Amino acid sequence: MTETNKIYRMDCLEGLKRLPDSCVDLIMTDPPYLIKDTHAGGHSQLARSIQPINDCLKENDLVSGMNPLVLPELVRVMKRINCYIWCSKAQIPGYLDFFVDGLGCSFDMIVWWKTNPPPTFHNKYLSDKEYCLYFRKGGYCQPDSYEKAKTVYFQPINIYDKKDYPHPTIKPLNIIKNLIENSSRPGDLVLDPFLGSGTTAAACLELGRNYLGYEINPEYFGTAEKRILDTRAAERMIKNTQNPE
Ligand SMILES: C[S@@+](CC[C@H](N)C(=O)[O-])C[C@H]1O[C@@H](n2cnc3c(N)ncnc32)[C@H](O)[C@@H]1O
């Protein structure tokens, strides 16, 4: 039996198979990116300038993309297709094929435009954007203000959360919270099969949503557990200040 408001240290494919059909209201996830190894022959010296960043991601097994068997499982467990997936540029065509051409979903693209990207611009453009595709078919998207309806976020790399909750690709909590708030209601169940440092779970705790997460790497799983404990403690403190006995 899978409990909610819990995270599991396991391969998400194994975890997803234990879930019943149509139990999840929203998926917010950030699977490993698909990034070419510029060590491989034929790449220019200039292209190799981004190799140190890619090496760090590779070391942590964050460049091999998503197992394609996961996608049909994600669809099976959602009540209606309502799904945000962060991805690299190379993954965009595959996700569009699956969700739009294959399943007839509508889609949108959210962009995090980094205001302080690393200066890696030899023979290439800066790596100054991250993409998040939103797919839905009957899914819910109700931003309650002009500000919350924006699709482009201009903000720097997230050094503050990264210091407390180390993960090479931690996402900004404010963006994740805004997207979850736009596409779910209080009490809904939000699933993140590639949890990392636990950003989705922390956002759910702050927003009164239920969460469920999987993380395969023991170190990141520990970070996510700590983050959940910290967030629960902070939420309790806010509640006590608002309603002193
Ligand atoms: C891009 S990171 C997610 C970062 C997260 N959004 C955050 O803000 O911290 C992807 C995570 O998926 C994990 N992962 C990779 N394959 C997995 C699998 N098969 N099952 C569960 N987790 C997996 C990696 O260890 C990594 O922490």
XYZ file of all heavy atoms in Angstrom, residues 90-184:
791
model
N 16.567 19.114 -25.892
C 16.579 17.865 -26.677
C 15.375 16.975 -26.372
O 15.009 16.127 -27.179
C 17.866 17.093 -26.377
N 14.752 17.171 -25.211
C 13.630 16.304 -24.834
C 12.283 16.826 -25.341
O 11.291 16.095 -25.305
C 13.571 16.155 -23.303
C 14.715 15.308 -22.758
C 14.816 15.432 -21.244
O 14.953 16.524 -20.712
N 14.752 14.321 -20.555
N 12.248 18.093 -25.788
C 10.961 18.704 -26.145
C 10.233 17.918 -27.248
O 9.058 17.576 -27.090
C 11.142 20.200 -26.518
C 11.592 20.980 -25.269
C 9.869 20.791 -27.086
C 11.933 22.445 -25.517
N 10.915 17.564 -28.374
C 10.169 16.858 -29.442
C 9.552 15.537 -28.969
O 8.414 15.231 -29.315
C 11.240 16.611 -30.522
C 12.317 17.595 -30.240
C 12.310 17.852 -28.769
N 10.274 14.798 -28.157
C 9.766 13.502 -27.676
C 8.516 13.663 -26.833
O 7.533 12.927 -26.980
N 8.522 14.658 -25.925
C 7.337 14.882 -25.077
C 6.148 15.371 -25.911
O 5.011 14.984 -25.676
C 7.650 15.896 -23.969
C 8.552 15.352 -22.871
C 9.597 16.103 -22.363
C 8.330 14.090 -22.327
C 10.421 15.616 -21.345
C 9.153 13.596 -21.316
C 10.189 14.359 -20.833
O 10.991 13.875 -19.826
N 6.423 16.240 -26.917
C 5.323 16.717 -27.766
C 4.729 15.556 -28.554
O 3.504 15.430 -28.686
C 5.812 17.811 -28.720
C 6.194 19.145 -28.069
C 6.710 20.128 -29.114
C 5.018 19.771 -27.336
N 5.588 14.667 -29.061
C 5.091 13.483 -29.810
C 4.162 12.673 -28.928
O 3.084 12.266 -29.334
C 6.258 12.557 -30.194
C 6.951 13.037 -31.447
O 6.474 14.014 -32.046
O 7.997 12.436 -31.792
N 4.622 12.423 -27.682
C 3.864 11.533 -26.800
C 2.533 12.169 -26.377
O 1.468 11.574 -26.523
C 4.708 11.196 -25.564
C 4.013 10.263 -24.614
C 4.026 8.880 -24.825
C 3.321 10.750 -23.518
C 3.375 8.016 -23.947
C 2.665 9.894 -22.640
C 2.686 8.524 -22.851
N 2.599 13.404 -25.857
C 1.394 13.987 -25.244
C 0.471 14.664 -26.270
O -0.748 14.562 -26.152
C 1.781 15.029 -24.180
C 2.250 14.415 -22.885
C 3.599 14.362 -22.572
C 1.338 13.896 -21.967
C 4.030 13.797 -21.371
C 1.767 13.340 -20.761
C 3.110 13.284 -20.469
N 1.052 15.377 -27.231
C 0.207 16.167 -28.138
C -0.222 15.317 -29.328
O -1.419 15.125 -29.574
C 0.946 17.456 -28.578
C 0.069 18.266 -29.526
C 1.311 18.292 -27.350
N 0.766 14.744 -30.050
C 0.407 13.921 -31.220
C -0.256 12.625 -30.781
O -1.248 12.193 -31.346
C 1.658 13.591 -32.060
C 2.244 14.850 -32.678
O 1.556 15.890 -32.633
O 3.382 14.792 -33.192
N 0.291 11.991 -29.734
C -0.212 10.680 -29.338
C -1.494 10.730 -28.536
O -2.389 9.898 -28.733
N -1.623 11.693 -27.634
C -2.774 11.672 -26.707
C -3.720 12.854 -26.894
O -4.723 12.961 -26.194
C -2.270 11.651 -25.254
C -1.454 10.412 -24.856
C -0.821 10.601 -23.470
C -2.340 9.174 -24.830
N -3.399 13.744 -27.820
C -4.306 14.866 -28.113
C -4.372 15.904 -27.001
O -5.394 16.579 -26.837
N -3.298 16.055 -26.226
C -3.281 17.062 -25.156
C -3.031 18.451 -25.739
O -2.403 18.585 -26.784
C -2.132 16.798 -24.178
S -2.299 15.278 -23.290
N -3.447 19.477 -24.999
C -2.973 20.823 -25.314
C -1.708 21.053 -24.485
O -1.459 20.312 -23.530
C -4.032 21.870 -25.001
O -4.330 21.835 -23.639
N -0.929 22.038 -24.893
C 0.301 22.250 -24.124
C 0.657 23.721 -24.028
O 0.185 24.549 -24.797
C 1.474 21.453 -24.710
C 2.119 22.075 -25.913
C 3.307 22.792 -25.798
C 1.549 21.952 -27.164
C 3.911 23.366 -26.903
C 2.136 22.526 -28.280
C 3.316 23.237 -28.144
N 1.492 24.015 -23.053
C 2.048 25.354 -22.893
C 3.507 25.193 -22.485
O 3.906 24.091 -22.087
C 1.283 26.129 -21.808
C 1.136 27.588 -22.197
O 2.109 28.140 -22.754
O 0.063 28.158 -21.958
N 4.279 26.255 -22.607
C 5.671 26.172 -22.172
C 5.962 27.277 -21.167
O 5.699 28.442 -21.421
C 6.633 26.301 -23.349
C 8.076 26.118 -22.892
S 9.249 26.464 -24.190
C 9.216 24.954 -25.090
N 6.478 26.865 -20.012
C 6.889 27.813 -18.988
C 8.411 27.927 -19.111
O 9.083 26.906 -19.302
C 6.561 27.266 -17.567
C 5.145 26.683 -17.485
C 6.833 28.300 -16.477
C 4.020 27.633 -17.667
N 8.928 29.133 -18.981
C 10.377 29.324 -19.112
C 10.924 30.018 -17.864
O 10.361 31.011 -17.411
C 10.705 30.191 -20.359
C 12.207 30.453 -20.449
C 10.216 29.501 -21.625
N 11.984 29.426 -17.328
C 12.754 30.104 -16.267
C 13.978 30.690 -16.965
O 14.855 29.958 -17.428
C 13.155 29.096 -15.190
C 14.191 29.603 -14.215
C 14.486 30.891 -13.900
C 15.061 28.795 -13.418
N 15.484 30.941 -12.956
C 15.853 29.663 -12.638
C 15.236 27.408 -13.278
C 16.818 29.199 -11.753
C 16.194 26.947 -12.394
C 16.969 27.843 -11.638
N 13.969 32.040 -17.085
C 15.041 32.738 -17.781
C 16.034 33.192 -16.725
O 15.763 34.121 -15.955
C 14.441 33.932 -18.516
C 15.331 34.526 -19.561
C 16.685 34.674 -19.499
C 14.909 35.036 -20.811
N 17.147 35.253 -20.642
C 16.074 35.488 -21.478
C 13.692 35.172 -21.455
C 16.034 36.064 -22.736
C 13.643 35.745 -22.699
C 14.810 36.186 -23.333
N 17.208 32.535 -16.686
C 18.160 32.800 -15.607
C 18.887 34.113 -15.859
O 19.427 34.327 -16.944
C 19.178 31.658 -15.533
C 18.528 30.345 -15.180
C 19.538 29.218 -15.238
C 18.855 27.899 -14.975
N 19.741 26.754 -15.240
N 18.889 34.961 -14.844
C 19.515 36.269 -15.016
C 21.025 36.219 -14.756
O 21.723 37.194 -14.988
C 18.851 37.295 -14.069
O 18.834 36.725 -12.756
C 17.429 37.605 -14.490
N 21.543 35.091 -14.250
C 22.987 34.999 -13.969
C 23.566 33.650 -14.456
O 24.159 32.915 -13.666
C 23.248 35.154 -12.464
C 22.488 34.114 -11.645
O 21.599 33.435 -12.158
N 22.836 33.964 -10.376
N 23.359 33.342 -15.764
C 23.865 32.038 -16.230
C 25.393 32.003 -16.247
O 26.039 33.063 -16.320
C 23.327 31.952 -17.660
C 23.229 33.380 -18.088
C 22.848 34.159 -16.852
N 25.998 30.790 -16.209
C 27.463 30.718 -16.330
C 27.890 31.252 -17.710
O 27.169 31.086 -18.691
C 27.760 29.207 -16.225
C 26.471 28.529 -15.917
C 25.353 29.498 -16.069
N 29.083 31.902 -17.778
C 29.492 32.551 -19.042
C 30.040 31.568 -20.072
O 31.182 31.688 -20.517
C 30.564 33.536 -18.564
C 31.138 32.895 -17.342
C 30.059 32.085 -16.706
N 29.257 30.596 -20.464
C 29.711 29.583 -21.428
C 29.101 29.906 -22.789
O 28.063 29.367 -23.144
C 29.265 28.185 -20.968
O 27.864 28.259 -20.713
C 29.977 27.732 -19.707
N 29.773 30.827 -23.552
C 29.176 31.263 -24.816
C 30.125 31.134 -26.000
O 30.004 31.803 -27.001
C 28.659 32.700 -24.691
C 29.684 33.682 -24.184
C 30.566 34.286 -25.064
C 29.761 33.974 -22.834
C 31.515 35.187 -24.601
C 30.709 34.877 -22.359
C 31.594 35.477 -23.225
N 31.135 30.251 -25.862
C 32.041 30.071 -26.994
C 31.383 29.149 -28.006
O 31.038 28.011 -27.675
C 33.351 29.448 -26.524
C 34.055 30.304 -25.514
N 34.545 31.547 -25.806
C 34.299 30.089 -24.211
C 35.089 32.057 -24.728
N 34.943 31.206 -23.739
N 31.142 29.649 -29.196
C 30.571 28.832 -30.266
C 29.164 28.348 -29.939
O 28.715 27.336 -30.470
C 31.484 27.617 -30.523
C 31.314 27.095 -31.932
O 30.926 27.841 -32.834
N 31.565 25.813 -32.129
N 28.483 29.010 -29.024
C 27.117 28.610 -28.652
C 26.458 29.777 -27.914
O 27.134 30.691 -27.471
C 27.140 27.362 -27.758
C 27.745 27.605 -26.386
C 27.786 26.359 -25.543
C 26.658 26.206 -24.582
N 26.369 27.317 -23.679
N 25.129 29.698 -27.812
C 24.421 30.680 -26.992
C 24.551 30.303 -25.526
O 24.853 29.152 -25.187
C 22.950 30.745 -27.395
C 22.760 31.412 -28.730
C 22.386 30.678 -29.842
C 22.974 32.789 -28.874
C 22.230 31.281 -31.078
C 22.822 33.401 -30.109
C 22.454 32.649 -31.199
O 22.322 33.254 -32.411
N 24.277 31.264 -24.654
C 24.296 30.995 -23.213
C 23.269 29.918 -22.864
O 22.225 29.823 -23.502
C 23.919 32.268 -22.443
C 24.943 33.385 -22.358
C 24.304 34.610 -21.698
C 26.167 32.936 -21.570
N 23.557 29.156 -21.807
C 22.551 28.229 -21.273
C 21.778 29.008 -20.220
O 21.992 28.856 -19.025
C 23.228 27.012 -20.640
O 23.994 26.357 -21.604
N 20.892 29.899 -20.708
C 20.247 30.815 -19.766
C 18.751 30.553 -19.599
O 18.042 31.376 -19.033
C 20.491 32.277 -20.180
C 19.992 32.574 -21.581
O 19.512 31.634 -22.256
O 20.083 33.728 -22.009
N 18.269 29.409 -20.111
C 16.837 29.123 -19.975
C 16.603 27.683 -19.536
O 17.354 26.787 -19.897
C 16.123 29.323 -21.316
C 16.063 30.756 -21.783
C 15.202 30.939 -23.003
C 15.740 30.352 -24.282
N 17.098 30.636 -24.663
N 15.558 27.492 -18.753
C 15.093 26.132 -18.464
C 13.633 26.077 -18.889
O 12.882 27.044 -18.699
C 15.214 25.813 -16.972
C 16.648 25.832 -16.526
C 17.078 24.577 -15.796
O 16.344 23.575 -15.771
O 18.176 24.638 -15.227
N 13.256 24.934 -19.442
C 11.909 24.790 -19.997
C 11.077 23.848 -19.146
O 11.579 22.821 -18.668
C 11.970 24.208 -21.414
C 12.898 24.955 -22.323
C 14.202 24.501 -22.547
C 12.490 26.133 -22.953
C 15.071 25.203 -23.371
C 13.352 26.833 -23.780
C 14.646 26.368 -23.980
O 15.500 27.055 -24.788
N 9.800 24.183 -19.028
C 8.870 23.281 -18.347
C 7.644 23.185 -19.245
O 6.991 24.201 -19.540
C 8.501 23.864 -16.992
S 7.262 22.896 -16.118
N 7.342 21.975 -19.723
C 6.171 21.790 -20.587
C 4.965 21.444 -19.723
O 5.088 20.644 -18.786
C 6.437 20.672 -21.599
C 7.531 20.975 -22.626
C 7.874 19.732 -23.436
C 7.095 22.115 -23.553
N 3.838 22.061 -20.025
C 2.590 21.753 -19.301
C 1.629 21.088 -20.281
O 1.263 21.679 -21.291
C 1.987 23.043 -18.737
C 0.630 22.845 -18.081
C 0.402 21.788 -17.197
C -0.438 23.710 -18.333
C -0.824 21.605 -16.589
C -1.668 23.539 -17.715
C -1.864 22.485 -16.854
O -3.094 22.300 -16.252
N 1.262 19.852 -19.984
C 0.326 19.113 -20.840
C -0.980 18.916 -20.086
O -0.954 18.564 -18.897
C 0.896 17.735 -21.204
C 2.157 17.836 -21.999
C 3.387 17.539 -21.426
C 2.124 18.250 -23.329
C 4.566 17.652 -22.154
C 3.298 18.355 -24.074
C 4.524 18.059 -23.484
N -2.076 19.098 -20.795
C -3.343 18.806 -20.126
C -4.406 18.356 -21.116
O -4.410 18.740 -22.299
C -3.835 19.980 -19.316
C -4.225 21.182 -20.120
C -4.891 22.152 -19.174
N -4.871 23.482 -19.711
C -5.792 24.398 -19.428
N -6.777 24.109 -18.621
N -5.716 25.592 -19.945
N -5.304 17.532 -20.583
C -6.487 17.104 -21.326
C -7.534 16.979 -20.229
O -7.534 16.005 -19.479
C -6.211 15.755 -21.995
C -7.226 15.379 -23.032
C -6.753 14.152 -23.781
C -7.787 13.654 -24.725
N -7.350 12.439 -25.406
N -8.368 17.990 -20.084
C -9.291 18.044 -18.950
C -8.608 18.525 -17.672
O -9.255 18.633 -16.638
N -7.325 18.789 -17.718
C -6.588 19.245 -16.522
C -6.977 20.669 -16.146
O -7.614 21.381 -16.925
N -6.552 21.068 -14.945
C -7.033 22.298 -14.320
C -5.958 23.365 -14.376
O -4.827 23.140 -13.944
C -7.356 21.909 -12.870
C -7.787 23.008 -11.950
C -9.130 23.359 -11.846
C -6.870 23.663 -11.129
C -9.541 24.339 -10.957
C -7.278 24.639 -10.238
C -8.615 24.973 -10.163
O -9.016 25.935 -9.276
N -6.286 24.541 -14.897
C -5.324 25.648 -14.860
C -6.081 26.944 -14.613
O -6.718 27.458 -15.530
C -4.523 25.707 -16.166
S -3.244 26.968 -16.132
N -6.078 27.419 -13.372
C -6.863 28.603 -12.989
C -6.001 29.604 -12.230
O -6.183 29.763 -11.014
C -8.035 28.173 -12.088
C -9.146 27.427 -12.768
C -9.952 28.319 -13.725
O -9.825 29.539 -13.697
N -10.737 27.722 -14.580
N -5.043 30.285 -12.899
C -4.276 31.317 -12.190
C -5.248 32.382 -11.683
O -6.168 32.759 -12.395
C -3.367 31.896 -13.275
C -3.413 30.928 -14.414
C -4.695 30.177 -14.325
N -5.050 32.854 -10.422
C -6.032 33.810 -9.898
C -5.560 35.252 -9.993
O -6.150 36.138 -9.407
C -6.462 33.427 -8.469
C -5.313 33.530 -7.474
O -4.242 34.071 -7.840
O -5.469 33.070 -6.334
N -4.471 35.477 -10.724
C -4.067 36.872 -10.966
C -3.239 36.946 -12.247
O -2.736 35.923 -12.730
C -3.228 37.400 -9.798
O -1.974 36.729 -9.782
N -3.115 38.157 -12.744
C -2.320 38.428 -13.949
C -0.887 37.944 -13.716
O -0.287 37.276 -14.550
C -2.353 39.941 -14.147
C -1.741 40.461 -15.421
C -2.457 40.483 -16.604
C -0.439 40.980 -15.414
C -1.903 40.998 -17.762
C 0.121 41.492 -16.571
C -0.620 41.503 -17.735
O -0.057 42.004 -18.871
N -0.344 38.245 -12.509
C 1.022 37.879 -12.161
C 1.204 36.359 -12.187
O 2.187 35.839 -12.722
C 1.337 38.454 -10.761
C 2.712 38.140 -10.195
C 3.856 38.713 -11.003
O 3.619 39.620 -11.838
O 5.002 38.245 -10.816
N 0.243 35.634 -11.624
C 0.379 34.180 -11.533
C 0.177 33.489 -12.874
O 0.473 32.308 -13.028
C -0.605 33.630 -10.506
C -0.179 33.913 -9.083
C -1.112 33.264 -8.102
C -0.668 33.570 -6.684
N -1.720 33.304 -5.706
N -0.365 34.228 -13.853
C -0.614 33.629 -15.168
C 0.595 33.742 -16.099
O 0.564 33.261 -17.229
C -1.830 34.289 -15.799
N 1.676 34.340 -15.616
C 2.830 34.544 -16.513
C 3.493 33.210 -16.865
O 3.425 32.244 -16.080
C 3.837 35.509 -15.895
C 4.552 34.951 -14.683
C 5.464 36.001 -14.063
C 6.104 35.463 -12.806
N 6.853 36.459 -12.061
N 4.121 33.166 -18.034
C 4.796 31.930 -18.444
C 6.317 32.084 -18.456
O 7.030 31.120 -18.718
C 4.338 31.474 -19.851
O 4.580 32.542 -20.754
C 2.870 31.083 -19.870
N 6.810 33.288 -18.228
C 8.265 33.486 -18.198
C 8.661 34.068 -16.839
O 8.087 35.075 -16.404
C 8.726 34.434 -19.333
C 10.238 34.600 -19.292
C 8.309 33.885 -20.688
N 9.603 33.409 -16.191
C 10.094 33.859 -14.886
C 11.529 34.344 -15.070
O 12.396 33.541 -15.457
C 10.093 32.700 -13.887
C 8.712 32.204 -13.533
C 8.005 31.376 -14.404
C 8.111 32.570 -12.331
C 6.731 30.927 -14.086
C 6.838 32.122 -12.011
C 6.157 31.304 -12.885
O 4.895 30.860 -12.566
N 11.779 35.616 -14.833
C 13.150 36.150 -14.906
C 13.712 36.132 -13.500
O 13.290 36.930 -12.651
C 13.133 37.610 -15.386
C 12.751 37.770 -16.816
C 11.442 38.035 -17.169
C 13.705 37.661 -17.821
C 11.077 38.181 -18.491
C 13.344 37.803 -19.152
C 12.027 38.064 -19.490
N 14.602 35.249 -13.218
C 15.202 35.251 -11.880
C 16.505 34.464 -11.874
O 16.745 33.626 -12.743
C 14.211 34.722 -10.837
C 13.728 33.308 -11.054
C 12.657 32.920 -10.030
O 11.557 33.450 -10.025
N 12.998 32.002 -9.146
N 17.354 34.721 -10.861
C 18.683 34.092 -10.854
C 18.659 32.627 -10.447
O 17.633 32.117 -9.976
C 19.449 34.912 -9.808
C 18.410 35.530 -8.948
C 17.172 35.688 -9.765
N 19.795 31.986 -10.624
C 19.981 30.607 -10.162
C 19.785 30.580 -8.654
O 20.161 31.511 -7.946
C 21.389 30.113 -10.579
C 21.436 29.966 -12.104
C 21.742 28.797 -9.906
C 22.824 29.811 -12.659
N 19.194 29.474 -8.207
C 18.698 29.358 -6.846
C 19.813 28.990 -5.850
O 19.916 27.835 -5.461
C 17.661 28.234 -6.947
C 16.904 28.007 -5.708
O 17.075 28.721 -4.734
N 16.070 26.999 -5.742
N 20.647 29.985 -5.453
C 21.770 29.605 -4.589
C 21.365 29.426 -3.129
O 21.999 28.707 -2.397
C 22.967 30.597 -4.659
C 22.464 32.017 -4.565
C 23.825 30.359 -5.873
C 23.586 33.027 -4.419
N 20.277 30.110 -2.712
C 19.926 30.063 -1.281
C 19.406 28.691 -0.886
O 19.906 28.052 0.048
C 18.936 31.176 -0.923
C 19.576 32.513 -1.138
C 19.236 33.306 -2.224
C 20.592 32.957 -0.288
C 19.869 34.506 -2.452
C 21.234 34.157 -0.502
C 20.872 34.932 -1.591
O 21.507 36.110 -1.822
N 18.398 28.176 -1.619
C 17.871 26.837 -1.309
C 18.958 25.785 -1.504
O 19.022 24.801 -0.784
C 16.685 26.487 -2.216
C 15.437 27.247 -1.801
O 15.416 27.750 -0.670
O 14.504 27.336 -2.609
N 19.822 25.997 -2.515
C 20.870 25.010 -2.834
C 21.856 24.869 -1.677
O 22.408 23.797 -1.446
C 21.604 25.467 -4.097
C 22.258 24.356 -4.867
C 22.742 24.879 -6.196
C 23.235 23.795 -7.084
N 23.271 24.179 -8.481
N 22.079 25.951 -0.957
C 23.004 25.927 0.177
C 22.434 25.025 1.284
O 23.136 24.215 1.860
C 23.197 27.364 0.684
C 24.348 27.556 1.632
C 24.823 29.007 1.666
C 23.798 30.021 2.094
N 23.189 29.937 3.392
N 21.149 25.159 1.539
C 20.518 24.370 2.604
C 20.186 22.959 2.146
O 20.201 22.012 2.931
C 19.208 25.045 3.066
C 19.504 26.343 3.794
O 20.610 26.476 4.338
O 18.626 27.224 3.805
N 19.827 22.815 0.877
C 19.370 21.516 0.357
C 20.142 21.213 -0.922
O 19.629 21.403 -2.030
C 17.848 21.569 0.103
C 17.104 22.034 1.323
C 16.480 23.272 1.368
C 17.079 21.241 2.468
C 15.846 23.719 2.517
C 16.453 21.682 3.625
C 15.846 22.912 3.633
O 15.237 23.351 4.781
N 21.389 20.726 -0.782
C 22.255 20.614 -1.968
C 21.709 19.619 -3.006
O 21.410 18.480 -2.678
C 23.576 20.100 -1.383
C 23.481 20.267 0.094
C 22.041 20.293 0.451
N 21.557 20.125 -4.210
C 21.186 19.283 -5.362
C 21.610 20.066 -6.593
O 21.332 21.268 -6.675
C 19.676 19.018 -5.371
C 19.281 17.986 -6.383
N 19.341 18.210 -7.737
C 18.853 16.715 -6.228
C 18.948 17.106 -8.370
N 18.654 16.185 -7.472
N 22.294 19.412 -7.563
C 22.840 20.184 -8.699
C 21.764 20.884 -9.526
O 22.058 21.891 -10.180
C 23.551 19.127 -9.556
C 23.556 17.864 -8.770
C 22.619 17.991 -7.613
N 20.522 20.375 -9.541
C 19.521 21.002 -10.419
C 18.259 21.398 -9.645
O 17.152 21.268 -10.152
C 19.143 20.060 -11.597
O 18.549 18.871 -11.033
C 20.336 19.676 -12.427
N 18.446 21.875 -8.431
C 17.299 22.288 -7.602
C 16.507 23.396 -8.331
O 17.095 24.291 -8.920
C 17.787 22.755 -6.213
C 16.627 22.987 -5.255
C 18.679 23.961 -6.308
C 17.080 23.204 -3.799
N 15.201 23.289 -8.291
C 14.356 24.289 -8.970
C 13.881 25.334 -7.956
O 13.743 25.036 -6.773
C 13.142 23.604 -9.619
C 13.501 22.715 -10.789
C 14.022 23.513 -11.955
C 14.557 22.664 -13.088
N 15.750 21.877 -12.773
N 13.586 26.551 -8.433
C 13.146 27.610 -7.512
C 11.768 27.273 -6.920
O 10.810 26.988 -7.646
C 13.061 28.848 -8.402
C 13.850 28.527 -9.622
C 13.748 27.054 -9.822
N 11.681 27.346 -5.599
C 10.443 27.004 -4.899
C 9.283 27.903 -5.343
O 8.156 27.443 -5.495
C 10.678 27.127 -3.386
C 9.516 26.744 -2.483
C 9.133 25.279 -2.631
C 9.842 27.035 -1.017
N 9.568 29.189 -5.573
C 8.454 30.094 -5.910
C 7.798 29.705 -7.238
O 6.579 29.793 -7.379
C 8.938 31.559 -5.940
C 9.886 31.832 -7.103
O 10.897 31.136 -7.266
N 9.575 32.815 -7.929
N 8.603 29.230 -8.213
C 8.010 28.848 -9.508
C 7.165 27.590 -9.327
O 6.020 27.510 -9.775
C 9.106 28.610 -10.589
C 9.972 29.859 -10.774
C 8.460 28.196 -11.908
C 11.042 29.737 -11.866
N 7.735 26.605 -8.628
C 7.013 25.337 -8.433
C 5.706 25.602 -7.672
O 4.648 25.066 -8.035
C 7.896 24.320 -7.659
C 9.216 24.074 -8.400
C 7.159 23.015 -7.392
C 9.104 23.419 -9.740
N 5.770 26.470 -6.648
C 4.558 26.769 -5.882
C 3.500 27.429 -6.758
O 2.323 27.080 -6.699
C 4.899 27.740 -4.734
C 5.250 27.052 -3.455
C 5.579 28.029 -2.350
C 4.374 28.597 -1.678
N 4.733 29.385 -0.478
N 3.942 28.361 -7.583
C 2.972 29.072 -8.426
C 2.273 28.113 -9.400
O 1.047 28.151 -9.557
C 3.696 30.191 -9.184
C 2.735 31.237 -9.711
O 1.665 31.434 -9.134
N 3.088 31.876 -10.791
N 3.056 27.210 -10.006
C 2.470 26.287 -10.990
C 1.511 25.314 -10.298
O 0.439 25.010 -10.811
C 3.580 25.526 -11.741
C 4.589 26.401 -12.510
C 5.659 25.540 -13.170
C 3.888 27.258 -13.568
N 1.906 24.838 -9.107
C 1.033 23.899 -8.374
C -0.256 24.606 -7.962
O -1.356 24.061 -8.092
C 1.770 23.322 -7.137
C 2.886 22.377 -7.592
C 0.795 22.592 -6.208
C 3.715 21.777 -6.456
N -0.124 25.843 -7.514
C -1.310 26.585 -7.088
C -2.259 26.822 -8.273
O -3.475 26.723 -8.125
C -0.874 27.925 -6.483
C -1.920 28.511 -5.574
C -1.380 29.682 -4.775
O -0.358 30.279 -5.185
O -1.996 29.996 -3.744
N -1.693 27.090 -9.447
C -2.525 27.336 -10.632
C -3.273 26.080 -11.077
O -4.329 26.161 -11.677
C -1.653 27.800 -11.817
C -1.138 29.214 -11.641
O -1.645 29.956 -10.806
N -0.126 29.571 -12.427
N -2.702 24.896 -10.836
C -3.243 23.683 -11.462
C -3.727 22.633 -10.476
O -3.819 21.454 -10.832
C -2.195 23.067 -12.399
O -2.012 23.898 -13.513
N -3.999 23.042 -9.236
C -4.567 22.083 -8.281
C -5.369 22.854 -7.247
O -5.268 24.076 -7.158
C -3.460 21.289 -7.593
O -2.678 22.148 -6.790
